[in-house]
Amino acid sequence: MADITRRLGRRHLRGAPTAHIRHHRSGRLVHDGPGLSFWFRPLTAALSEIPVDDRELAMTFHARTADFQDVTVQATVTYRIGDPALAAARLDFSIDPDTGAWRGTPLEQLGTLLTETAQEHALDVLARVPLSTALTDGVRTVRERLAAGLAAEPRLPATGIEVVAVRVVAVRPEPEVERALRTPARERIQQDADRATYERRAVAVERERAIAENELASRIELARREERLVDQRGVNARREAEEQAAADAVRADAEASRTVRLSEAEATRTERLAQAEAIRTERLAEAEAAKAVRLARAEAEKARVVGEAGAEARAAWLRVHAEVEVAVLHALAGIQLAENVPHIDSVTISPDVLTGLLARLAAPGAQP
């Protein structure tokens, strides 16, 4: 459909490349061609749009064969308008100047023309053959007849139509007839399937029998081998017992020899250890005695040195106190007494000391 727009009382048409536009103004052809774009006045313009692309027309119609059986034909015809001017003169392709839509139904008229023409030729060819021939060769026969009939039809070129291709999809009988025709084939297929099943079962049984025989033969052979194996195991057990006994005897002899050698070595080792222990004990005793002697000597020397040092200290102390006056000694005694007061529980003053102190205090000019 052409694209029409409005501008200030005028119209603008823009066509597609696959649409042939014819513009008449006042009875005179102004524009003619595909994919045009122009301005026009709607009151004086007569517009036609003819599609020039290939179009598919699917058709389905019923026919009757020579043996009075109804069949359905499904076909497709591809056509195009080869002469747009002739088609516009024979059919109404005029469009509305405001909307761009066709005023009539030209494509439906073309479809009716092609369908009726194709149906006429298909009915003619199917009415001459039986149903079996129509089902086996009907597609090819109908296609060839339709192509030849449409090419020879004078109304199509007179309308500007060119037939591009003809395809026949199927020629099918009524559903009941189709089921009836399928029954023998299905029975044959079922018989073939049953025969194949029986043959497969027979082959399976034969294979199972062969497998059972093979299993039985295998079991017999296994039993024979098991018998030989048992015999061989007995021989191996006796040989192993003999070899084990000989090995035990050799092991016992070796163990006895090793025990004797170990006993001798242990005795020698014990004797050597006893000797070494005695020597070590003797040396330790000697070392301990020497150590004790040295310690005793050291202690005696220490006591002597300490005694001499104490005696010298005491003598020095006595010499110092002998040279000091009695008043100084009394003062020192008082100081030591004061230092040891917390440690003295009681003080005992004899009458002699008290008498002397009182006499000294009573004497004139006595020092305190």
Side-chain angles (χ1 to χ4, degrees), residues 250-260 262:
V250 173
R251 192 179 300 109
D253 294 340
E255 186 67 23
S257 300
R258 188 174 67 84
T259 303
V260 171
L262 287 176

Side-chain angles (χ1 to χ4, degrees), residues 289-303:
K291 179 180 178 182
V293 170
R294 288 195 300 271
L295 287 176
R297 290 177 181 176
E299 287 293 333
E301 185 66 21
K302 178 180 178 182

Side-chain angles (χ1 to χ4, degrees), residues 171-305:
V171 177
R172 303 186 62 178
E174 294 294 326
E176 295 81 3
V177 178
E178 188 173 4
R179 284 193 296 269
L181 292 175
R182 288 178 180 176
T183 301
R186 288 184 177 178
E187 291 295 334
R188 289 194 299 271
I189 293 173
Q190 187 63 38
Q191 291 176 3
D192 294 340
D194 294 340
R195 187 180 303 107
T197 302
Y198 298 149
E199 292 177 356
R200 186 167 58 253
R201 289 180 180 176
V203 172
V205 171
E206 182 65 23
R207 289 180 178 176
E208 289 179 359
R209 184 184 62 80
I211 292 171
E213 292 180 354
N214 291 334
E215 290 180 353
L216 181 59
S218 299
R219 290 178 181 177
I220 294 173
E221 182 64 24
L222 288 175
R224 292 175 180 173
R225 293 184 179 181
E226 186 69 22
E227 182 179 1
R228 291 197 297 270
L229 180 60
V230 170
D231 296 339
Q232 186 64 35
R233 284 179 178 175
V235 173
N236 293 339
R238 289 192 298 271
R239 185 179 301 169
E240 185 178 358
E242 293 174 356
E243 292 179 355
Q244 186 66 29
D248 291 341
V250 173
R251 192 179 300 109
D253 294 340
E255 186 67 23
S257 300
R258 188 174 67 84
T259 303
V260 171
R261 289 195 301 270
L262 287 176
S263 298
E264 294 176 353
E266 187 67 23
T268 304
R269 179 172 174 274
T270 303
E271 184 179 357
R272 290 178 180 176
L273 287 176
Q275 293 176 357
E277 186 66 22
I279 295 171
R280 188 175 68 83
T281 303
E282 184 179 357
R283 290 179 179 177
L284 286 175
E286 293 177 356
E288 191 67 26
K291 179 180 178 182
V293 170
R294 288 195 300 271
L295 287 176
R297 290 177 181 176
E299 287 293 333
E301 185 66 21
K302 178 180 178 182
R304 185 183 63 79
V305 172

Side-chain angles (χ1 to χ4, degrees), residues 48-70:
S48 298
E49 183 181 11
I50 303 95
V52 294
D53 55 339
D54 291 351
R55 292 182 174 266
E56 301 286 341
L57 177 62
M59 57 185 69
T60 302
F61 47 84
H62 297 278
R64 181 169 293 181
T65 61
D67 50 359
F68 304 100
Q69 299 294 326
D70 292 334

Side-chain angles (χ1 to χ4, degrees), residues 58 78 101 237 271 347 352 362:
T78 303
E271 184 179 357
V347 178
D352 296 336

Side-chain angles (χ1 to χ4, degrees), residues 68-233:
F68 304 100
Q69 299 294 326
D70 292 334
V71 294
T72 302
V73 180
Q74 298 177 358
T76 301
V77 176
T78 303
Y79 70 95
R80 68 168 173 264
I81 298 176
D83 191 346
L86 183 59
R90 299 295 299 271
L91 298 174
D92 184 12
F93 283 96
S94 63
I95 60 176
D96 191 321
D98 292 328
T99 62
W102 279 317
R103 297 179 183 273
T105 56
L107 295 181
E108 293 183 3
Q109 296 176 7
L110 287 178
T112 302
L113 175 61
L114 290 172
T115 301
E116 291 179 352
T117 304
Q119 185 175 1
E120 178 183 359
H121 293 287
L123 293 177
D124 182 62
V125 70
L126 290 175
R128 301 174 183 274
V129 296
L131 177 62
S132 58
T133 304
L135 295 179
T136 55
D137 299 333
V139 173
R140 178 181 57 81
T141 305
V142 173
R143 182 177 64 250
E144 293 175 355
R145 181 61 181 273
L146 288 180
L150 292 176
E153 179 64 32
R155 294 179 58 189
L156 299 180
T159 313
I161 300 174
E162 297 179 1
V163 177
V164 178
V166 177
R167 297 187 300 277
V168 178
V169 179
V171 177
R172 303 186 62 178
E174 294 294 326
E176 295 81 3
V177 178
E178 188 173 4
R179 284 193 296 269
L181 292 175
R182 288 178 180 176
T183 301
R186 288 184 177 178
E187 291 295 334
R188 289 194 299 271
I189 293 173
Q190 187 63 38
Q191 291 176 3
D192 294 340
D194 294 340
R195 187 180 303 107
T197 302
Y198 298 149
E199 292 177 356
R200 186 167 58 253
R201 289 180 180 176
V203 172
V205 171
E206 182 65 23
R207 289 180 178 176
E208 289 179 359
R209 184 184 62 80
I211 292 171
E213 292 180 354
N214 291 334
E215 290 180 353
L216 181 59
S218 299
R219 290 178 181 177
I220 294 173
E221 182 64 24
L222 288 175
R224 292 175 180 173
R225 293 184 179 181
E226 186 69 22
E227 182 179 1
R228 291 197 297 270
L229 180 60
V230 170
D231 296 339
Q232 186 64 35
R233 284 179 178 175

